[in-house]
Amino acid sequence: MRMLTCKRTRKRMRAGPYACCMAKVVDSGLVQGRGDDVTPASPAILLIEDEPGIVDFVRRSLEAEGFTVQAALDGIEGEQLALTGRFDAIVLDLMLPGRDGFEILAAVHRATPSVPVIVLTARAEIDDRVAGLDAGAADYLVKPFSVAELVARVRAQLRVIAEASASTLSGEGIEVDLLTRRVRRGARTVQLSTTEFELLVFLLRHQGEVVTREQILASVWGYEHDPATNVVDVYVGYLRRKLGSADDPAPIQTVRAVGYRLGSPV
């Protein structure tokens, strides 16, 4: 089997996993064009790797799976791109010119902890793996590697994000976990009754919109508008008191003669 030599580490790496995987991709006609040929809604992946051959293999494999890929060949550019927040996942080498991969990993974890970083490196020692995972890496893959496995790991990390986002709502500093029914505003946990929770969920789902009392009644209480009831106003008052404080009022605005809106004052 042909061997590839990594100039930076002077370690020999088997070409087989890359070449085999990419041969299948090219032969099957799955390689997509770049730029305008890729659907804008495709998950965006940042690849920070200074070996052009690896960049080419990985980029084409990810694009064949429907991802958009942007590559950086050094640590300085890689960190700048990583901190823009434009990417759904990052594939990161640790040994890079200009900026160490561990420093990039720490910076990304501080700025955008929800973005998964998959480390792809020749550093195979247990201490290195532990250090990478402790620094915030979501996964750690050692060279030589199978590109098919890397693609599968990227997909797995994106599934975790999708499942987490489907179970949470957030806005105006408020975060609601729909599975555990936990509510936080900033660093503070807020205890809500069942009806208060349902009212908050409704307002979050319509964040920025003006919703009428009739809409709130139908959704939260399940019955048509009764002109004699002030139950919506009462429960909005409960929410305001529990979510707000003296120096930081709850972001629930009254729209005169109409209803309410969750959002900052306009």
Side-chain angles (χ1 to χ4, degrees):
M1 181 179 292
R2 184 168 60 89
M3 308 291 285
L4 291 179
T5 301
C6 177
K7 294 180 181 179
R8 184 177 63 260
T9 61
R10 300 300 179 186
K11 293 184 179 179
R12 300 172 69 196
M13 301 188 299
R14 295 183 181 274
Y18 312 122
C20 177
C21 176
M22 287 312 304
K24 292 179 182 177
V25 172
V26 174
D27 290 345
S28 64
L30 293 176
V31 175
Q32 299 178 358
R34 300 176 191 172
D36 294 340
D37 294 335
V38 182
T39 303
S42 301
I45 310 300
L46 174 61
L47 173 61
I48 308 175
E49 165 65 60
D50 69 327
E51 292 290 332
I54 295 177
V55 169
D56 184 61
F57 282 133
V58 172
R59 184 204 294 270
R60 291 202 285 165
S61 292
L62 288 169
E63 288 178 347
E65 294 295 324
F67 300 108
T68 60
V69 181
Q70 185 168 352
L73 295 173
D74 64 73
I76 295 174
E77 181 189 9
E79 183 178 51
Q80 290 173 345
L81 288 171
L83 296 180
T84 62
R86 303 199 316 258
F87 300 95
D88 299 294
I90 298 170
V91 178
L92 172 68
D93 188 12
L94 291 180
M95 293 179 287
L96 294 162
R99 185 75 164 161
D100 180 73
F102 277 110
E103 294 177 280
I104 298 173
L105 180 58
V108 171
H109 187 61
R110 286 193 303 269
T112 54
S114 61
V115 176
V117 178
I118 300 170
V119 168
L120 180 64
T121 181
R123 297 175 67 161
E125 299 297 324
I126 294 297
D127 288 347
D128 292 324
R129 297 182 190 224
V130 171
L133 294 170
D134 283 348
D139 205 344
Y140 196 105
L141 190 59
V142 174
K143 301 173 182 177
F145 64 102
S146 162
V147 178
E149 181 182 1
L150 173 61
V151 172
R153 292 188 184 215
V154 170
R155 284 199 302 261
Q157 291 301 324
L158 293 177
R159 280 198 302 272
V160 170
I161 295 174
E163 290 167 2
S165 63
S167 65
T168 60
L169 291 172
S170 61
E172 298 296 327
I174 302 166
E175 184 173 312
V176 172
D177 189 317
L178 299 175
L179 299 180
T180 64
R181 302 180 75 85
R182 291 178 181 170
V183 177
R184 297 181 65 84
R185 188 175 184 209
R188 182 167 58 91
T189 299
V190 181
Q191 300 295 330
L192 299 180
S193 69
T194 299
T195 303
E196 292 164 351
F197 181 86
E198 297 299 332
L199 174 57
L200 177 59
V201 167
F202 179 80
L203 292 174
L204 279 169
R205 290 191 190 280
H206 296 273
Q207 182 183 350
E209 302 174 18
V210 177
V211 289
T212 66
R213 291 173 175 81
E214 291 86 348
Q215 289 174 309
I216 297 173
L217 278 169
S219 177
V220 178
W221 281 269
Y223 54 80
E224 296 301 322
H225 173 59
D226 177 1
T229 184
N230 67 343
V231 66
V232 172
D233 306 281
V234 170
Y235 273 85
V236 167
Y238 293 159
L239 268 185
R240 281 173 167 160
R241 284 194 290 274
K242 290 188 176 183
L243 292 172
S245 61
D247 57 350
D248 187 15
I252 303 174
Q253 313 303 322
T254 300
V255 181
R256 188 181 297 275
V258 180
Y260 298 95
R261 180 178 63 84
L262 180 67
S264 302
V266 293

